Amino acid sequence: MARRAGGGTGRPGGAGVKGARRPEVRLPALEPYAGGELEPDGDYDGVDFRGTDLAGQDGAGARFMDCALTECALDGTALTRARVLDSVLTGVRGIGTDLADATLRDVELVDARLGGTQLHGAVLERVLIRGGKIDFLNLRQARLRDVVFQSCVLVEPDFGGARLERVEFVDCALRAADFTAATLADADLRGAAELGISAGVDRLAGAVISPAQLLDLAPVLAAQLGIRVEG
């Protein structure tokens, strides 16, 4: 089984701000994937998926434990209710990957190129998303705990109704994010290189932002409060 350890990001936090615990996945010796189609409710333990085309396959309810997915195609791959544990995904790409109601625990997602990924209702715990670009990420009603978005670009992510606890955005671009009906606790937005919020600015209680970000968000906050700003 992969070993893991919790730890903060090392970023100085403000008083009362709890840092996210990052995954530290150390994979055992892996067996190359034997090929063929993914199986619904399949069990994949210590498997190396390298350059595998999984597009359009059905792995709903499958369990991936101590696995590595490297440069895999995930276009339209059905992974609803899947459990991805102690695993590393590097350079995966795909449009419309369906991970609704999935569980991701102690997972590193590195340099992904994804669009329209469905993670609504999912549970993410000790997850690091580093590098890459994800467009239209659907995290509605998801639960995120100890999640770090680092050096990545998120275009129009939807956090509607989600719960974010100890979530950090570090050197990443957050563009047109929707926080409608979200609940935040110890969510640290100060490290975001770009912070754009299209909806749900009234749900930022429980988040920490920098003074510069407050100025950037002032027009959105004023509009939310019905304040007219005139020169």
Side-chain angles (χ1 to χ4, degrees):
M1 178 181 296
R3 293 176 296 163
R4 57 189 183 274
T9 61
R11 187 182 186 280
V17 181
K18 297 179 180 178
R21 295 177 296 163
R22 296 188 179 210
E24 294 183 8
V25 182
R26 298 177 178 89
L27 294 173
L30 304 178
E31 292 292 331
Y33 181 51
E37 297 278 324
L38 289 177
E39 297 180 2
D41 299 315
D43 196 351
Y44 303 95
D45 195 339
V47 178
D48 186 6
F49 297 83
R50 186 169 296 272
T52 309
D53 186 355
L54 302 174
Q57 296 188 26
D58 185 0
R63 184 184 76 114
F64 299 85
M65 179 78 176
D66 293 339
C67 289
L69 283 77
T70 305
E71 303 292 340
C72 294
L74 299 175
D75 297 275
T77 307
L79 294 168
T80 53
R81 304 181 312 282
R83 289 174 293 160
V84 184
L85 313 170
D86 299 287
S87 296
V88 179
L89 290 73
T90 305
V92 296
R93 62 195 185 278
I95 302 295
T97 309
D98 193 350
L99 283 153
D101 297 315
T103 297
L104 280 67
R105 183 177 298 119
D106 294 296
V107 168
E108 297 180 11
L109 177 63
V110 181
D111 294 332
R113 294 291 188 275
L114 299 170
T117 302
Q118 302 298 312
L119 275 162
H120 55 84
V123 175
L124 284 70
E125 185 172 359
R126 292 187 300 276
V127 173
L128 170 64
I129 299 174
R130 177 166 55 85
K133 182 181 180 185
I134 306 178
D135 297 322
F136 312 112
L137 177 62
N138 184 353
L139 283 161
R140 296 183 68 84
Q141 303 296 326
R143 288 180 290 159
L144 290 74
R145 185 175 184 181
D146 293 313
V147 175
V148 178
F149 295 94
Q150 179 176 344
S151 303
C152 58
V153 178
L154 303 178
V155 179
E156 296 189 35
D158 189 349
F159 296 98
R163 176 169 179 81
L164 289 73
E165 181 179 356
R166 295 196 299 273
V167 175
E168 296 183 20
F169 298 85
V170 182
D171 296 326
C172 68
L174 194 62
R175 299 175 182 168
D178 187 346
F179 286 98
T180 302
T183 303
L184 281 62
D186 292 307
D188 196 340
L189 298 164
R190 292 172 297 172
E194 181 179 339
L195 178 59
I197 299 177
S198 63
V201 69
D202 58 316
R203 304 296 298 185
L204 292 184
V208 181
I209 62 175
S210 70
Q213 289 170 332
L214 177 59
L215 292 176
D216 291 339
L217 291 174
V220 182
L221 289 167
Q224 176 67 38
L225 295 171
I227 300 173
R228 294 171 56 189
V229 181
E230 298 181 356

